[in-house]
Coordinates of all heavy atoms in Angstrom, one line a residue:
M1 N 36.3 60.2 -31.4 CA 35.2 59.4 -31.5 C 35.6 57.9 -31.8 O 36.6 57.7 -32.4 CB 34.3 59.8 -32.7 CG 33.8 61.2 -32.6 SD 32.5 61.4 -31.3 CE 31.1 60.9 -32.2
A2 N 34.9 57.0 -31.2 CA 35.2 55.6 -31.4 C 33.9 54.9 -31.9 O 32.8 55.4 -31.6 CB 35.7 55.0 -30.1
T3 N 34.0 53.8 -32.5 CA 32.9 53.0 -33.0 C 32.6 51.9 -32.0 O 33.5 51.1 -31.7 CB 33.1 52.5 -34.4 OG1 33.4 53.6 -35.3 CG2 31.9 51.7 -34.9
Y4 N 31.4 51.8 -31.4 CA 31.1 50.8 -30.5 C 30.0 49.9 -31.1 O 29.1 50.4 -31.8 CB 30.6 51.4 -29.2 CG 31.6 52.2 -28.5 CD1 31.7 53.6 -28.6 CD2 32.5 51.6 -27.6 CE1 32.7 54.3 -28.0 CE2 33.5 52.3 -27.0 CZ 33.6 53.6 -27.2 OH 34.5 54.4 -26.5
E5 N 30.1 48.6 -30.9 CA 29.2 47.6 -31.5 C 28.1 47.2 -30.4 O 28.5 47.0 -29.3 CB 29.9 46.4 -32.0 CG 29.0 45.4 -32.6 CD 29.8 44.2 -33.1 OE1 31.0 44.1 -33.0 OE2 29.2 43.3 -33.7
Y6 N 26.9 47.2 -30.8 CA 25.8 46.8 -30.0 C 25.0 45.7 -30.7 O 25.0 45.6 -31.9 CB 24.8 48.0 -29.7 CG 25.5 48.9 -28.7 CD1 26.2 50.0 -29.2 CD2 25.3 48.8 -27.4 CE1 26.8 50.9 -28.3 CE2 25.9 49.7 -26.5 CZ 26.6 50.8 -27.0 OH 27.2 51.7 -26.1
S7 N 24.4 44.8 -29.9 CA 23.6 43.7 -30.5 C 22.2 43.8 -30.0 O 21.9 43.7 -28.8 CB 24.3 42.4 -30.1 OG 23.5 41.3 -30.6
C8 N 21.2 43.8 -30.9 CA 19.8 43.8 -30.6 C 19.3 42.4 -30.8 O 19.7 41.7 -31.8 CB 19.1 44.8 -31.5 SG 17.3 44.7 -31.3
N9 N 18.5 41.9 -29.9 CA 18.0 40.5 -30.0 C 17.1 40.3 -31.2 O 17.0 39.3 -31.7 CB 17.3 40.1 -28.7 CG 18.3 39.9 -27.5 OD1 19.4 39.7 -27.7 ND2 17.8 40.1 -26.3
R10 N 16.5 41.4 -31.6 CA 15.5 41.3 -32.7 C 16.2 41.6 -34.1 O 15.9 41.0 -35.1 CB 14.4 42.3 -32.5 CG 13.6 42.0 -31.3 CD 12.5 43.0 -31.1 NE 11.8 42.9 -29.8 CZ 10.9 43.7 -29.3 NH1 10.6 44.8 -30.0 NH2 10.3 43.4 -28.2
C11 N 17.0 42.6 -34.1 CA 17.5 43.1 -35.4 C 19.0 42.8 -35.7 O 19.4 42.9 -36.8 CB 17.4 44.7 -35.5 SG 15.8 45.3 -35.0
G12 N 19.7 42.4 -34.7 CA 21.1 42.0 -35.0 C 22.0 43.1 -34.5 O 21.7 44.0 -33.7
S13 N 23.2 43.2 -35.0 CA 24.2 44.1 -34.5 C 24.2 45.4 -35.3 O 23.8 45.5 -36.5 CB 25.6 43.5 -34.6 OG 26.0 43.2 -35.9
F14 N 24.6 46.5 -34.6 CA 24.8 47.8 -35.3 C 25.9 48.6 -34.6 O 26.3 48.2 -33.4 CB 23.4 48.6 -35.2 CG 22.9 48.8 -33.8 CD1 23.3 50.0 -33.2 CD2 22.1 47.9 -33.2 CE1 22.8 50.3 -31.9 CE2 21.6 48.2 -31.9 CZ 22.0 49.3 -31.3
D15 N 26.4 49.6 -35.2 CA 27.5 50.4 -34.7 C 27.0 51.7 -34.3 O 26.1 52.3 -34.9 CB 28.6 50.5 -35.7 CG 29.3 49.2 -36.0 OD1 29.2 48.3 -35.2 OD2 29.9 49.1 -37.1
V16 N 27.6 52.3 -33.2 CA 27.3 53.6 -32.8 C 28.6 54.3 -32.5 O 29.6 53.8 -31.9 CB 26.5 53.6 -31.4 CG1 26.3 55.0 -30.9 CG2 25.2 52.8 -31.6
K17 N 28.7 55.6 -33.1 CA 30.0 56.4 -32.8 C 29.7 57.3 -31.7 O 28.8 58.1 -31.6 CB 30.3 57.2 -34.1 CG 30.7 56.3 -35.2 CD 31.3 57.1 -36.3 CE 31.8 56.2 -37.4 NZ 32.9 56.6 -38.1
L18 N 30.6 57.2 -30.7 CA 30.5 57.9 -29.4 C 31.9 58.4 -29.0 O 32.9 57.8 -29.5 CB 29.9 57.1 -28.3 CG 28.5 56.6 -28.5 CD1 28.2 55.5 -27.5 CD2 27.5 57.7 -28.4
P19 N 32.0 59.4 -28.2 CA 33.3 59.8 -27.7 C 33.9 58.6 -26.9 O 33.2 57.9 -26.2 CB 33.0 61.0 -26.8 CG 31.8 61.6 -27.3 CD 31.0 60.4 -27.8
I20 N 35.2 58.5 -26.9 CA 35.9 57.4 -26.3 C 35.6 57.4 -24.8 O 35.7 58.5 -24.1 CB 37.4 57.5 -26.5 CG1 37.7 57.2 -28.0 CG2 38.2 56.5 -25.7 CD1 39.1 57.4 -28.4
G21 N 35.3 56.3 -24.2 CA 35.0 56.1 -22.8 C 33.6 56.5 -22.4 O 33.3 56.5 -21.2
T22 N 32.7 56.8 -23.3 CA 31.4 57.2 -22.9 C 30.3 56.2 -23.4 O 29.1 56.5 -23.2 CB 31.0 58.6 -23.6 OG1 31.0 58.4 -25.0 CG2 32.0 59.6 -23.1
A23 N 30.7 55.0 -23.9 CA 29.8 54.1 -24.4 C 29.1 53.4 -23.2 O 29.7 52.8 -22.3 CB 30.5 53.0 -25.2
P24 N 27.7 53.4 -23.2 CA 27.0 52.7 -22.1 C 27.0 51.2 -22.4 O 27.2 50.8 -23.6 CB 25.6 53.3 -22.1 CG 25.5 53.9 -23.5 CD 26.9 54.2 -24.0
T25 N 26.6 50.4 -21.4 CA 26.5 49.0 -21.6 C 25.3 48.6 -22.4 O 25.2 47.5 -23.0 CB 26.5 48.2 -20.3 OG1 25.4 48.7 -19.5 CG2 27.8 48.4 -19.6
A26 N 24.3 49.5 -22.5 CA 23.1 49.3 -23.3 C 22.8 50.5 -24.1 O 23.1 51.6 -23.7 CB 21.9 48.9 -22.4
H27 N 22.2 50.3 -25.3 CA 21.8 51.4 -26.2 C 20.5 51.1 -26.9 O 20.2 49.9 -27.1 CB 23.0 51.6 -27.3 CG 23.0 52.9 -27.9 ND1 22.2 53.1 -29.0 CD2 23.6 54.0 -27.7 CE1 22.4 54.4 -29.4 NE2 23.3 54.9 -28.6
V28 N 19.8 52.1 -27.3 CA 18.5 51.9 -27.9 C 18.7 51.5 -29.4 O 19.5 52.2 -30.1 CB 17.6 53.2 -27.8 CG1 16.3 53.0 -28.6 CG2 17.3 53.5 -26.4
C29 N 18.1 50.4 -29.8 CA 18.2 50.0 -31.2 C 17.6 51.0 -32.1 O 16.5 51.5 -31.9 CB 17.5 48.6 -31.4 SG 17.5 48.1 -33.1
P30 N 18.3 51.4 -33.2 CA 17.8 52.5 -34.1 C 16.6 52.0 -34.9 O 15.8 52.8 -35.5 CB 19.0 52.8 -35.0 CG 19.9 51.7 -34.9 CD 19.7 51.0 -33.6
Q31 N 16.4 50.6 -35.0 CA 15.3 50.1 -35.9 C 14.1 49.8 -35.1 O 13.0 50.1 -35.5 CB 15.8 48.9 -36.6 CG 16.9 49.1 -37.6 CD 17.3 47.9 -38.4 OE1 16.9 46.8 -38.1 NE2 18.3 48.0 -39.3
C32 N 14.2 49.1 -33.9 CA 13.0 48.7 -33.2 C 12.9 49.4 -31.9 O 11.9 49.1 -31.1 CB 13.0 47.2 -33.0 SG 14.3 46.6 -31.9
S33 N 13.8 50.2 -31.5 CA 13.8 50.9 -30.2 C 13.9 50.0 -29.0 O 13.6 50.4 -27.9 CB 12.6 51.8 -30.1 OG 12.6 52.8 -31.1
H34 N 14.3 48.7 -29.2 CA 14.5 47.8 -28.1 C 15.9 48.0 -27.6 O 16.7 48.6 -28.2 CB 14.4 46.4 -28.7 CG 14.3 45.3 -27.7 ND1 15.4 44.5 -27.3 CD2 13.3 44.9 -26.9 CE1 15.0 43.7 -26.4 NE2 13.8 43.9 -26.1
T35 N 16.1 47.6 -26.3 CA 17.4 47.8 -25.7 C 18.4 46.8 -26.3 O 18.1 45.6 -26.3 CB 17.3 47.6 -24.2 OG1 16.3 48.6 -23.7 CG2 18.6 47.8 -23.5
A36 N 19.5 47.3 -26.7 CA 20.6 46.4 -27.3 C 21.7 46.5 -26.3 O 22.0 47.5 -25.7 CB 21.0 46.9 -28.6
R37 N 22.4 45.3 -26.2 CA 23.5 45.3 -25.3 C 24.8 45.5 -26.0 O 24.9 45.1 -27.2 CB 23.6 44.0 -24.5 CG 23.7 42.8 -25.3 CD 23.6 41.5 -24.4 NE 23.3 40.3 -25.2 CZ 24.3 39.7 -25.9 NH1 25.5 40.2 -25.9 NH2 24.0 38.7 -26.6
R38 N 25.8 46.0 -25.3 CA 27.1 46.3 -26.0 C 27.9 45.0 -26.2 O 27.8 44.1 -25.4 CB 27.9 47.2 -25.1 CG 29.2 47.6 -25.7 CD 30.0 48.6 -24.8 NE 31.3 48.8 -25.3 CZ 32.2 49.5 -24.7 NH1 32.0 50.1 -23.5 NH2 33.4 49.6 -25.2
V39 N 28.6 44.9 -27.3 CA 29.4 43.8 -27.7 C 30.8 44.2 -27.6 O 31.2 45.2 -28.2 CB 29.1 43.3 -29.1 CG1 30.0 42.1 -29.5 CG2 27.6 42.9 -29.2
Y40 N 31.6 43.5 -26.8 CA 33.0 43.8 -26.7 C 33.8 43.0 -27.7 O 33.8 41.7 -27.7 CB 33.5 43.5 -25.2 CG 32.9 44.5 -24.2 CD1 31.7 44.1 -23.6 CD2 33.4 45.7 -23.9 CE1 31.1 45.0 -22.7 CE2 32.8 46.5 -23.0 CZ 31.7 46.2 -22.4 OH 31.1 47.0 -21.5
S41 N 34.5 43.6 -28.5 CA 35.3 42.9 -29.5 C 36.7 43.6 -29.6 O 37.0 44.6 -29.1 CB 34.6 43.0 -30.9 OG 34.4 44.3 -31.3
S42 N 37.6 42.9 -30.3 CA 39.0 43.3 -30.4 C 39.0 44.5 -31.4 O 38.2 44.6 -32.3 CB 39.9 42.2 -30.9 OG 39.5 41.8 -32.2
P43 N 40.0 45.5 -31.2 CA 40.1 46.6 -32.1 C 40.5 46.1 -33.5 O 41.1 45.1 -33.6 CB 41.1 47.5 -31.4 CG 41.8 46.6 -30.5 CD 40.9 45.5 -30.1
A44 N 40.1 46.9 -34.5 CA 40.4 46.6 -35.8 C 41.9 46.8 -36.2 O 42.2 47.7 -37.0 CB 39.5 47.4 -36.8
T45 N 42.7 46.0 -35.6 CA 44.1 46.1 -36.0 C 44.5 45.4 -37.2 O 45.6 45.5 -37.7 CB 45.0 45.6 -34.8 OG1 44.6 44.3 -34.5 CG2 44.8 46.5 -33.6
A46 N 43.6 44.6 -37.8 CA 43.9 43.8 -39.0 C 44.1 44.8 -40.2 O 44.8 44.4 -41.1 CB 42.8 42.9 -39.3
F47 N 43.6 46.0 -40.1 CA 43.7 46.9 -41.2 C 45.0 47.9 -41.0 O 45.1 48.8 -41.7 CB 42.5 47.8 -41.3 CG 41.3 46.9 -41.6 CD1 40.3 46.7 -40.6 CD2 41.1 46.2 -42.8 CE1 39.2 45.9 -40.9 CE2 40.0 45.4 -43.0 CZ 39.1 45.3 -42.1
T48 N 45.8 47.6 -40.0 CA 47.0 48.4 -39.8 C 48.0 48.1 -40.9 O 48.2 47.0 -41.3 CB 47.6 48.0 -38.5 OG1 46.6 48.2 -37.4 CG2 48.8 48.9 -38.2
P49 N 48.5 49.1 -41.6 CA 49.5 48.9 -42.6 C 50.7 48.1 -42.1 O 51.1 48.3 -40.9 CB 49.9 50.4 -43.0 CG 48.8 51.2 -42.5 CD 48.2 50.5 -41.3
P50 N 51.3 47.3 -42.9 CA 52.4 46.4 -42.4 C 53.5 47.2 -41.8 O 54.1 46.8 -40.9 CB 52.8 45.7 -43.7 CG 51.6 45.7 -44.6 CD 50.9 47.0 -44.3
A51 N 53.8 48.4 -42.4 CA 54.9 49.2 -41.9 C 54.7 49.6 -40.4 O 55.5 49.6 -39.6 CB 55.2 50.4 -42.8
V52 N 53.4 50.0 -40.2 CA 53.0 50.5 -38.9 C 53.0 49.3 -37.9 O 53.5 49.4 -36.7 CB 51.7 51.2 -38.9 CG1 51.2 51.5 -37.5 CG2 51.7 52.5 -39.8
A53 N 52.5 48.2 -38.4 CA 52.5 47.0 -37.5 C 53.9 46.5 -37.1 O 54.1 46.2 -36.0 CB 51.7 45.9 -38.2
G54 N 54.8 46.6 -38.1 CA 56.2 46.3 -37.8 C 56.8 47.2 -36.8 O 57.5 46.7 -35.9
L55 N 56.5 48.5 -36.9 CA 57.1 49.4 -35.9 C 56.5 49.2 -34.5 O 57.2 49.3 -33.5 CB 56.8 50.9 -36.4 CG 57.6 51.3 -37.6 CD1 57.2 52.7 -38.0 CD2 59.1 51.4 -37.2
R56 N 55.2 48.9 -34.5 CA 54.6 48.6 -33.2 C 55.2 47.4 -32.5 O 55.5 47.3 -31.3 CB 53.1 48.4 -33.3 CG 52.3 49.7 -33.6 CD 50.9 49.4 -33.7 NE 50.1 50.6 -33.9 CZ 48.9 50.7 -34.3 NH1 48.2 49.6 -34.6 NH2 48.3 51.9 -34.5
E57 N 55.4 46.3 -33.3 CA 56.0 45.1 -32.8 C 57.4 45.4 -32.3 O 57.8 44.9 -31.3 CB 56.0 44.1 -33.9 CG 56.5 42.7 -33.5 CD 56.5 41.7 -34.6 OE1 55.5 41.8 -35.4 OE2 57.3 40.8 -34.6
Q58 N 58.2 46.2 -33.1 CA 59.6 46.5 -32.7 C 59.5 47.3 -31.4 O 60.4 47.1 -30.5 CB 60.2 47.4 -33.8 CG 61.6 47.7 -33.5 CD 62.2 48.6 -34.7 OE1 61.5 48.8 -35.7 NE2 63.4 49.0 -34.5
E59 N 58.6 48.2 -31.2 CA 58.5 49.0 -30.0 C 58.1 48.2 -28.8 O 58.6 48.3 -27.7 CB 57.4 50.1 -30.2 CG 57.3 51.2 -29.1 CD 56.4 50.8 -28.0 OE1 55.4 50.0 -28.3 OE2 56.5 51.3 -26.9
E60 N 57.2 47.2 -29.0 CA 56.9 46.3 -27.9 C 58.1 45.4 -27.5 O 58.3 45.2 -26.3 CB 55.7 45.4 -28.3 CG 54.4 46.1 -28.4 CD 53.3 45.2 -28.8 OE1 53.4 44.0 -28.9 OE2 52.2 45.7 -29.1
K61 N 58.9 45.0 -28.4 CA 60.1 44.2 -28.1 C 61.0 45.1 -27.3 O 61.7 44.6 -26.4 CB 60.7 43.7 -29.3 CG 60.0 42.5 -30.0 CD 60.8 42.0 -31.2 CE 60.0 40.9 -31.9 NZ 60.6 40.5 -33.2
S62 N 61.1 46.3 -27.7 CA 62.1 47.3 -27.1 C 61.7 47.5 -25.6 O 62.6 47.9 -24.8 CB 62.1 48.6 -27.9 OG 63.0 49.5 -27.3
R63 N 60.4 47.4 -25.2 CA 60.1 47.6 -23.8 C 60.8 46.6 -22.9 O 61.2 46.9 -21.9 CB 58.5 47.4 -23.7 CG 57.7 48.5 -24.2 CD 56.3 48.2 -24.0 NE 55.5 49.0 -24.9 CZ 54.2 48.7 -25.1 NH1 53.6 47.8 -24.5 NH2 53.5 49.5 -25.9
E64 N 60.8 45.3 -23.3 CA 61.4 44.3 -22.5 C 63.0 44.3 -22.7 O 63.7 44.0 -21.7 CB 60.9 42.9 -22.9 CG 59.4 42.8 -22.7 CD 59.0 42.8 -21.2 OE1 59.7 42.4 -20.4 OE2 57.9 43.4 -21.0
N65 N 63.4 44.5 -23.9 CA 64.8 44.4 -24.2 C 65.3 45.6 -25.0 O 65.4 45.5 -26.2 CB 65.0 43.1 -25.0 CG 66.3 42.4 -24.6 OD1 67.1 42.9 -23.8 ND2 66.5 41.2 -25.2
P66 N 65.5 46.8 -24.4 CA 65.7 48.0 -25.2 C 67.1 47.9 -25.9 O 68.1 47.4 -25.4 CB 65.8 49.1 -24.1 CG 65.8 48.4 -22.8 CD 65.4 47.0 -23.0
A67 N 67.0 48.3 -27.2 CA 68.2 48.3 -28.0 C 69.0 49.6 -27.7 O 68.4 50.7 -27.7 CB 67.9 48.3 -29.4
V68 N 70.3 49.5 -27.4 CA 71.1 50.7 -27.0 C 71.9 51.0 -28.3 O 72.6 50.2 -28.9 CB 72.0 50.4 -25.8 CG1 72.9 51.6 -25.5 CG2 71.2 50.0 -24.6
V69 N 71.8 52.3 -28.7 CA 72.5 52.8 -29.8 C 73.4 53.9 -29.4 O 73.1 54.7 -28.5 CB 71.6 53.2 -31.0 CG1 70.8 52.1 -31.5 CG2 70.6 54.3 -30.5
T70 N 74.5 54.1 -30.0 CA 75.5 55.1 -29.7 C 75.6 56.2 -30.8 O 76.1 57.2 -30.6 CB 76.9 54.6 -29.4 OG1 77.3 53.8 -30.5 CG2 76.8 53.7 -28.1
R71 N 75.0 55.8 -32.0 CA 75.1 56.8 -33.1 C 73.9 56.5 -34.0 O 73.4 55.4 -34.0 CB 76.4 56.7 -33.8 CG 76.7 55.4 -34.5 CD 78.0 55.4 -35.2 NE 79.1 55.6 -34.2 CZ 80.3 55.7 -34.5 NH1 80.7 55.6 -35.8 NH2 81.2 55.8 -33.6
V72 N 73.6 57.4 -34.9 CA 72.6 57.3 -35.9 C 73.0 56.3 -36.9 O 74.2 56.4 -37.4 CB 72.2 58.6 -36.5 CG1 71.1 58.5 -37.6 CG2 71.8 59.6 -35.4
P73 N 72.2 55.3 -37.3 CA 72.6 54.4 -38.4 C 73.0 55.2 -39.6 O 72.4 56.2 -39.9 CB 71.3 53.6 -38.6 CG 70.6 53.7 -37.4 CD 70.9 55.0 -36.8
P74 N 74.0 54.7 -40.4 CA 74.5 55.5 -41.5 C 73.5 55.8 -42.6 O 73.5 56.8 -43.2 CB 75.6 54.6 -42.1 CG 75.7 53.4 -41.2 CD 74.7 53.5 -40.1
E75 N 72.6 54.9 -42.8 CA 71.6 55.1 -43.9 C 70.6 56.3 -43.5 O 70.2 57.0 -44.3 CB 70.8 53.9 -44.3 CG 69.9 53.3 -43.1 CD 70.7 52.3 -42.3 OE1 71.9 52.2 -42.5 OE2 70.1 51.7 -41.4
R76 N 70.3 56.4 -42.2 CA 69.5 57.5 -41.8 C 70.3 58.8 -41.8 O 69.7 59.9 -42.1 CB 69.0 57.3 -40.4 CG 67.8 56.3 -40.3 CD 67.2 56.3 -39.0 NE 66.1 55.5 -39.0 CZ 65.3 55.3 -37.9 NH1 65.6 55.9 -36.8 NH2 64.3 54.5 -37.9
A77 N 71.5 58.8 -41.4 CA 72.3 60.0 -41.3 C 72.5 60.6 -42.7 O 72.5 61.8 -42.8 CB 73.6 59.7 -40.7
A78 N 72.6 59.8 -43.7 CA 72.8 60.3 -45.1 C 71.5 60.8 -45.7 O 71.5 61.7 -46.5 CB 73.4 59.2 -45.9
S79 N 70.4 60.3 -45.2 CA 69.1 60.7 -45.9 C 68.5 62.0 -45.4 O 67.7 62.6 -46.1 CB 68.1 59.5 -45.7 OG 67.8 59.4 -44.4
R80 N 68.8 62.4 -44.2 CA 68.2 63.7 -43.7 C 69.3 64.6 -43.3 O 70.3 64.2 -42.7 CB 67.3 63.4 -42.6 CG 67.8 62.4 -41.6 CD 66.8 61.9 -40.6 NE 65.7 62.7 -40.1 CZ 65.2 62.6 -39.0 NH1 65.6 61.6 -38.1 NH2 64.2 63.3 -38.6
P81 N 69.2 65.9 -43.6 CA 70.2 66.9 -43.2 C 70.2 67.1 -41.7 O 69.1 67.1 -41.1 CB 69.7 68.2 -44.0 CG 68.3 68.0 -44.2 CD 68.1 66.5 -44.4
A82 N 71.4 67.2 -41.2 CA 71.5 67.4 -39.7 C 71.1 68.8 -39.3 O 71.4 69.8 -40.0 CB 72.9 67.1 -39.3
H83 N 70.4 68.9 -38.2 CA 70.0 70.3 -37.7 C 71.3 70.9 -37.1 O 72.0 70.2 -36.4 CB 68.9 70.1 -36.7 CG 68.3 71.4 -36.2 ND1 68.8 72.2 -35.3 CD2 67.2 72.0 -36.7 CE1 68.1 73.2 -35.1 NE2 67.0 73.1 -36.0
P84 N 71.5 72.2 -37.3 CA 72.7 72.8 -36.8 C 72.8 72.7 -35.3 O 74.0 72.6 -34.7 CB 72.6 74.3 -37.2 CG 71.6 74.3 -38.3 CD 70.7 73.1 -38.1
A85 N 71.7 72.6 -34.5 CA 71.8 72.5 -33.1 C 72.4 71.2 -32.6 O 72.9 71.1 -31.5 CB 70.4 72.7 -32.5
L86 N 72.3 70.2 -33.5 CA 72.8 68.8 -33.1 C 74.3 68.9 -33.0 O 74.9 68.1 -32.3 CB 72.4 67.8 -34.2 CG 70.9 67.5 -34.3 CD1 70.6 66.5 -35.4 CD2 70.3 67.0 -32.9
A87 N 75.0 69.8 -33.7 CA 76.5 69.9 -33.6 C 76.9 70.3 -32.2 O 78.1 70.1 -31.8 CB 77.0 70.8 -34.6
R88 N 76.1 70.9 -31.4 CA 76.4 71.4 -30.1 C 76.2 70.3 -29.0 O 76.6 70.5 -27.8 CB 75.6 72.6 -29.7 CG 75.9 73.8 -30.6 CD 75.3 75.1 -30.1 NE 73.9 75.1 -29.8 CZ 72.9 75.5 -30.7 NH1 73.3 76.0 -31.9 NH2 71.7 75.4 -30.4
L89 N 75.6 69.2 -29.3 CA 75.4 68.2 -28.4 C 76.7 67.5 -28.0 O 77.6 67.3 -28.9 CB 74.4 67.1 -28.9 CG 73.0 67.6 -29.1 CD1 72.1 66.6 -29.7 CD2 72.4 68.0 -27.7
P90 N 76.9 67.0 -26.8 CA 78.1 66.3 -26.4 C 78.2 65.0 -27.1 O 77.2 64.3 -27.4 CB 77.9 66.1 -24.9 CG 76.5 66.2 -24.6 CD 75.9 67.1 -25.7
R91 N 79.4 64.6 -27.5 CA 79.6 63.3 -28.2 C 80.3 62.3 -27.3 O 81.0 62.7 -26.4 CB 80.6 63.6 -29.4 CG 80.0 64.5 -30.4 CD 78.9 63.9 -31.2 NE 78.3 64.9 -32.1 CZ 77.1 64.8 -32.5 NH1 76.3 63.8 -32.2 NH2 76.6 65.7 -33.3
P92 N 80.0 61.0 -27.5 CA 80.6 60.0 -26.6 C 82.1 59.9 -26.9 O 82.6 60.2 -27.9 CB 79.8 58.7 -27.0 CG 79.2 59.0 -28.3 CD 79.0 60.5 -28.5
Ligands
ZN101 ZN1 16.3 46.2 -32.8

């Protein structure tokens, strides 16, 4: 489900929750039953937690300029136990 915004000329804006991709360009106003047109706005990314926003930014940079790693960074390797199947993988 996604939240879509509509604007009624008489009552103002209101939100409608619909399955993604099914929002029509016009919707009936819940207050006056007048036809309201859809308002296209940017997604609410301002409420994204900073850690998630940082990872998204890092992922976008990696699309253009991928970082090549040959081993797991030491701080990650120490924090999680290695799965036994990882020992069978070929090493560089
Ligand atoms: Zn209305």
Side-chain angles (χ1 to χ4, degrees):
M1 297 293 273
T3 303
Y4 296 96
E5 183 180 359
Y6 289 88
S7 177
C8 175
N9 289 337
R10 298 178 185 172
C11 309
S13 64
F14 61 92
D15 293 339
V16 177
K17 291 192 179 214
L18 296 167
I20 293 175
T22 63
T25 56
H27 199 274
V28 176
C29 175
Q31 293 182 358
C32 69
S33 299
H34 191 257
T35 301
R37 61 183 164 79
R38 184 176 169 191
V39 177
Y40 294 91
S41 57
S42 62
T45 56
F47 300 110
T48 304
V52 174
L55 289 173
R56 285 182 180 163
E57 186 176 327
Q58 183 180 358
E59 189 269 338
E60 286 180 11
K61 285 181 184 175
S62 180
R63 287 183 199 162
E64 300 293 326
N65 217 354
V68 178
V69 294
T70 56
R71 64 179 62 183
V72 177
E75 63 272 7
R76 282 192 177 179
S79 65
R80 44 194 325 207
H83 191 276
L86 295 178
R88 296 193 303 266
L89 292 175
R91 299 288 174 204

